[in-house]
Amino acid sequence: MADGTTWTKRAYSRRNVLAVGAAGAAAAALAACGSTDAPTSTPAAAATATKPAGPAATATAVPQSLGAAATTAPAATSAPAAGSAVAASAAPAAASGAPTAVPKPANLADKQVFRWADSIPPDGIDPGIITSPSVSAQLWEGLININQINNQFEAAMAESYSSNADATIWTFKMRPGMKWSDGTPLTAKDFEYSYKRVMDPATKSKYTSALYSIKNGKEVETGKVTPDQLGVKATDDSTFVVTLGEATPFFPLIAATWTCVPVPKHIIDKLGDKWTLGPNVVGNGPYVLKEWKQDQSMSFTRNPNYFGSQPVVTDVQLTLYEDVLAKGVSSYENNEIDQAQVASGDYDRVKSDAKLSKELKGFPGSSTYFLVLDCTNKPTDDVRVRQALSQGFDRDALIKVVLKNYYTNAPTMLPPDIPGYNEKAALTGGVEAAKKLMADAGFPNGAGFPADFTILYSTGAASTLKPVYEFLQAQWKQNLGINVQLQALDSKAFSANRADRVKGLKFNGAHGNWGSDYGDPSNWHNQLFASNAGYYGSHWKNDEFDAMVAKAKPLPDKDARTKMYQDAEALFVK
């Protein structure tokens, strides 16, 4: 998951590593899936671009390396297709078995190295705390996975799962003989501990909303009841039972996210917060963390106690950048890394380069980038101002000129692949409508608009964010007569600022982005924008919207559920 601190969510996952092909064959699909754009009106100002209009990545394999990996939004781009979330989550009672083994190509050296680059993780790598699993996906696995090749569930720590008739109780049967990377047995009790740890206020998890559907989830998070009252229980070493507060037919999608992976109680009890530092890390994924040079690099090697087939890639070397988009292509061209995401500013050059253009791959991403506005702080407490900012710029110029057709316009929040997407919900009227809205709100041609109105964004993606916000700044000055200030914060400070906003800190505007963690609208509206979640701290509350998404979430009727989320989208945007 996602917190506005990075431009896109990336997961170099177990499936990516296992699916490596023959030496010299590279397949990298980079998830530059959206653009920062002007606000939607009500809650979090309007979305801009959702998915790339064309290829968005480069990749090759250098001689000593093998293949390259797809970078995708956590579990979302690999989740069931739009319109099928409920049916897919009610899926087979048994997962499809162990991960498909990838035959090792002939004549390969025993050591195969993949060199990769990513953003500095501002929140660390503890999967129970972080909002994006880019690194943690290598080190931990949950009960089930989503196969990124065929979009089907497959067994991981659980060999099967089932639910009761109304999808309020889910039972997972563990594989026998599972181990942590240090050889300690891994059982259903580790999952009970880990789920309770996420919701325990003392953990300070940043993604507790993923587990709100579990019985007493919100009550535990807010300290009204103790973690022991969370609706999860290991009835024995091999059986893990999750009791939900409401029907959740898509719960396996949630169980496949990084928030639901197990963490080692025996290590955390011993080391406390230091348990995720370098060789201290104990996981159950395909790799173990061998070395971590803070803000510089990480290195991984294969986990000898991994339950599945050993990855073909034996070692992974990760370079960390504050702005991975700005550094990626040059590092790739210098043969320092084997895969790089192409920023929109480099897109034209890469396409016209005789060599790089042949190595360019891409795929659409399930993401949206937007401007979050404080809906209780003047002047954006007035919906007319929020609507004016959403319409007061040339969207075509943003997409075609600034972003070079690398992204698509997103006048609504949900990406097109998510059930509930509603293009008819978009505001209409453009710049002329925006001028009238500003005048009606008391700011004709910008007169009286606060001169210190400031938009915050992260330097972690400054190479893409800065030109977008500078374009919006100029457009709003030209079209609406207002002066907007821009302030860049480093990734850690920006993440801390979002946390403060959630707690009630007043602000003007801040960059926001989200990539689907699973293919369901609840991952957006219920987890991010309903007032009981308030993930971005926009301080927006709409009782009708809250009631609608709460009613839609457990509906078993796919069509009725989709229609209700479409109606909710219309409320959200306007």
Side-chain angles (χ1 to χ4, degrees), residues 26-44:
L30 300 208
C33 341
S35 103
T36 58
D37 229 68
T40 56
S41 66
T42 2

Side-chain angles (χ1 to χ4, degrees), residues 418-453:
I418 298 297
Y421 168 71
N422 183 5
E423 59 184 340
K424 295 180 180 178
L427 296 172
T428 59
V431 172
E432 292 307 310
K435 290 179 179 179
K436 183 178 187 306
L437 285 164
M438 286 293 280
D440 291 345
F443 306 109
N445 197 32
F449 196 84
D452 60 350
F453 186 89

Side-chain angles (χ1 to χ4, degrees), residues 12 20 22-30 57-69 113-116 329 331-341 353-361:
Y12 181 65
V20 171
L30 300 208
T58 65
T60 69
V62 297
Q64 80 272 24
S65 301
L66 178 70
V113 180
F114 178 71
R115 302 169 306 167
W116 164 43
V329 173
S331 295
Y332 177 80
E333 290 179 291
N334 291 332
N335 195 26
E336 297 166 358
I337 57 177
D338 300 322
Q339 170 266 340
Q341 183 175 348
D353 184 280
K355 178 178 182 292
L356 294 179
S357 61
K358 295 177 181 178
E359 299 163 355
L360 190 65
K361 305 290 182 182

Side-chain angles (χ1 to χ4, degrees), residues 448-463:
F449 196 84
D452 60 350
F453 186 89
T454 302
I455 292 174
L456 307 173
Y457 65 91
S458 170
T459 57
S463 61

Side-chain angles (χ1 to χ4, degrees), residues 9-261:
K9 300 175 74 165
R10 293 173 298 281
Y12 181 65
S13 72
R14 175 190 55 72
R15 171 53 50 189
N16 302 145
V17 176
L18 294 178
V20 171
L30 300 208
C33 341
S35 103
T36 58
D37 229 68
T40 56
S41 66
T42 2
T48 59
T50 51
K51 55 183 179 178
T58 65
T60 69
V62 297
Q64 80 272 24
S65 301
L66 178 70
T71 57
T72 75
T77 50
S78 58
S84 64
V86 172
S89 6
S96 60
T100 305
V102 177
K104 181 179 179 179
N107 303 319
L108 283 182
D110 289 338
K111 187 171 183 177
Q112 298 294 326
V113 180
F114 178 71
R115 302 169 306 167
W116 164 43
D118 206 342
S119 298
I120 296 170
D123 306 324
I125 63 172
D126 187 331
I129 294 176
I130 60 177
T131 56
S132 178
S134 186
V135 172
S136 68
Q138 320 326 311
L139 305 174
W140 294 278
E141 287 196 6
L143 294 160
I144 54 177
N145 292 320
I146 298 174
N147 187 307
Q148 295 182 13
I149 295 175
N150 60 24
N151 289 339
Q152 299 297 311
F153 290 114
E154 64 182 19
M157 295 299 100
E159 62 182 359
S160 66
Y161 64 90
S162 60
S163 74
N164 62 350
D166 64 358
T168 58
I169 300 176
W170 289 85
T171 301
F172 298 86
K173 299 298 291 185
M174 297 284 293
R175 290 175 179 275
M178 294 296 94
K179 295 180 180 180
W180 290 104
S181 57
D182 65 355
T184 303
L186 191 160
T187 72
K189 293 176 182 177
D190 290 301
F191 282 93
E192 178 180 342
Y193 164 76
S194 301
Y195 277 49
K196 289 178 177 177
R197 178 177 178 266
V198 168
M199 301 311 290
D200 187 338
T203 303
K204 298 181 180 179
S205 173
K206 298 179 180 180
Y207 199 26
T208 52
S209 59
L211 302 186
Y212 279 172
S213 59
I214 297 178
K215 183 179 179 181
N216 290 330
K218 185 69 174 178
E219 289 78 6
V220 172
E221 182 206 33
T222 55
K224 293 180 180 178
V225 302
T226 65
D228 284 342
Q229 297 184 60
L230 186 69
V232 296
K233 186 171 181 60
T235 57
D236 55 46
D237 283 353
S238 62
T239 308
F240 180 58
V241 180
V242 180
T243 301
L244 306 173
E246 61 183 356
T248 308
F250 56 91
F251 185 75
L253 288 172
I254 298 175
T257 65
W258 72 94
T259 307
C260 296
V261 303

